[in-house]
Amino acid sequence: MPKNLSRLCAALAAGLCAISCGKERAWDGPDWRPQQPPQRIVAGSVLAVESLLEVISHNRLVGVHQIAADARYSLVADQAQGLPLLGASPEQLLSVRPDLVLVDAYTRAETLALLGAANVPVIRTRDPHCFEDIEANLRLLGRVTHLDTEVDQLIVATTKALQSMRQAGRGLNEWRILSLDGALHTYGEGSLFDVVTRTTGARNLAAEHGVGAFRKLDIEEVLAWRPDALVMSGDAPADGGLPDWVMQCPGLDLLPCVAAGRIIYVPSRLLITTSHRLVESVAFVQKQLLEWGKP
């Protein structure tokens, strides 16, 4: 067995043993804060990059997740392209000798184990379901990077923006909107799309019909619900027509909202963000509803 692979396997075994034995490390504590500000930080998730990039000195970032530089998935792609880009493998994360690694709820257990076995502090943010969760993630990231004051300013700005949008959306509660993709998937109660919709002042039709965070609909359901507007991920077709998949769903093009062109095309990076920049999703959807006026 190659020496490097042997070391990797040994580290993985040690890390998994620590997890299975219930061994806690200092950074696993709910209030952990490193004694000194970390200077070799890896932002190993798009959430971490979007949360910190505007407040952290870039020379403290020795690596960011490569997806953070992809404009399809990241709201800070332009800025991230100038930073060292890393994949998600523990070998790549460890190669830059980090003193702190920031990951998200979807990071693989073996990656966490290997980083822990290498005695590298790993902080994992939670999967957010509301703006309160997003704020909690921000405070966590601020604490472990010693950027509490800067993060507080982000939270204040975000809170003010939300207050303004909620005020502007007081006349939008007649709008019943539905998210939809080519497979007729939708987002209901418990999803961040539901949070976006309610924050605009509109109503999430899927949630009102008992749909959970994510479900595939039948075309009969969509037609029977008669949404006032559809929300789709991506750009509007260049020819001003409908996406090809709409024409492949018999009857969907006959919905009044489709016939009237009441489809909100939202860039995918806005719909999938889990950082405080979710307020940009709210603003995007609300702006279109306000322009339309009443349903």
Side-chain angles (χ1 to χ4, degrees):
M1 179 182 294
K3 184 179 295 186
N4 287 344
L5 181 58
S6 176
R7 290 176 178 173
L8 184 62
C9 291
L12 178 57
L16 290 175
C17 178
I19 291 177
S20 62
C21 295
K23 180 181 178 181
E24 288 193 0
R25 303 180 186 277
W27 55 82
D28 293 326
D31 300 315
W32 180 77
R33 174 187 177 92
Q35 291 185 348
Q36 299 297 325
Q39 298 300 316
R40 299 189 60 80
I41 301 171
V42 167
S45 70
V46 176
L47 167 58
V49 181
E50 287 187 355
S51 297
L52 293 178
L53 203 54
E54 62 187 283
V55 298
I56 194 170
S57 173
H58 289 192
N59 60 16
R60 294 178 64 189
L61 293 170
V62 294
V64 301
H65 198 296
Q66 59 191 12
I67 294 180
D70 190 326
R72 293 172 298 175
Y73 310 109
S74 169
L75 291 167
V76 293
D78 289 346
Q79 303 96 302
Q81 286 175 359
L83 296 169
L85 303 179
L86 300 173
S89 72
E91 297 90 341
Q92 290 191 56
L93 298 177
L94 289 171
S95 70
V96 293
R97 298 178 291 107
D99 55 9
L100 178 67
V101 176
L102 307 172
V103 297
D104 61 21
Y106 303 102
T107 302
R108 299 171 61 182
E110 47 267 48
T111 298
L112 299 175
L114 279 166
L115 293 172
N119 204 35
V120 176
V122 185
I123 296 299
R124 181 162 57 167
T125 52
R126 71 173 71 175
D127 184 21
H129 298 282
C130 57
F131 276 108
E132 288 75 16
D133 290 343
I134 290 173
E135 179 178 331
N137 279 336
L138 274 173
R139 293 196 182 282
L140 169 62
L141 294 172
R143 185 177 73 247
V144 299
T145 58
H146 288 228
L147 291 169
D148 310 72
T149 300
E150 293 82 353
V151 163
D152 280 343
Q153 293 172 354
L154 287 181
I155 292 171
V156 169
T158 301
T159 300
K160 287 182 178 178
L162 289 173
Q163 291 171 343
S164 176
M165 292 174 195
R166 289 180 176 125
Q167 179 71 24
R170 288 186 174 180
L172 296 177
N173 63 339
E174 294 182 30
W175 282 97
R176 301 170 307 119
I177 66 178
L178 181 70
S179 65
L180 216 57
D181 66 12
L184 297 187
H185 292 124
T186 193
Y187 294 94
E189 186 175 1
S191 67
L192 284 181
F193 176 77
D194 187 51
V195 173
V196 168
T197 302
R198 288 187 287 105
T199 306
T200 67
R203 296 151 55 190
N204 182 3
L205 195 52
E208 291 188 355
H209 282 272
V211 174
F214 182 74
R215 180 160 77 79
K216 178 181 175 65
L217 300 178
D218 296 324
I219 185 61
E220 292 80 9
E221 290 177 296
V222 179
L223 296 176
W225 294 353
R226 293 175 66 85
D228 298 313
L230 296 178
V231 173
M232 298 182 184
S233 176
D235 299 321
D239 62 4
L242 296 171
D244 292 339
W245 65 265
V246 171
M247 306 309 296
Q248 297 169 6
C249 297
L252 193 58
D253 60 319
L254 299 178
L255 275 175
C257 64
V258 175
R262 287 183 169 175
I263 301 175
I264 306 175
Y265 295 96
V266 183
S268 59
R269 61 187 179 275
L270 280 176
L271 285 179
I272 64 176
T273 183
T274 55
S275 74
H276 64 289
R277 299 187 67 158
L278 191 67
V279 295
E280 297 177 32
S281 302
V282 177
F284 191 98
V285 175
Q286 188 183 70
K287 180 177 183 292
Q288 183 60 77
L289 295 178
L290 288 172
E291 288 179 1
W292 283 335
K294 295 290 184 180

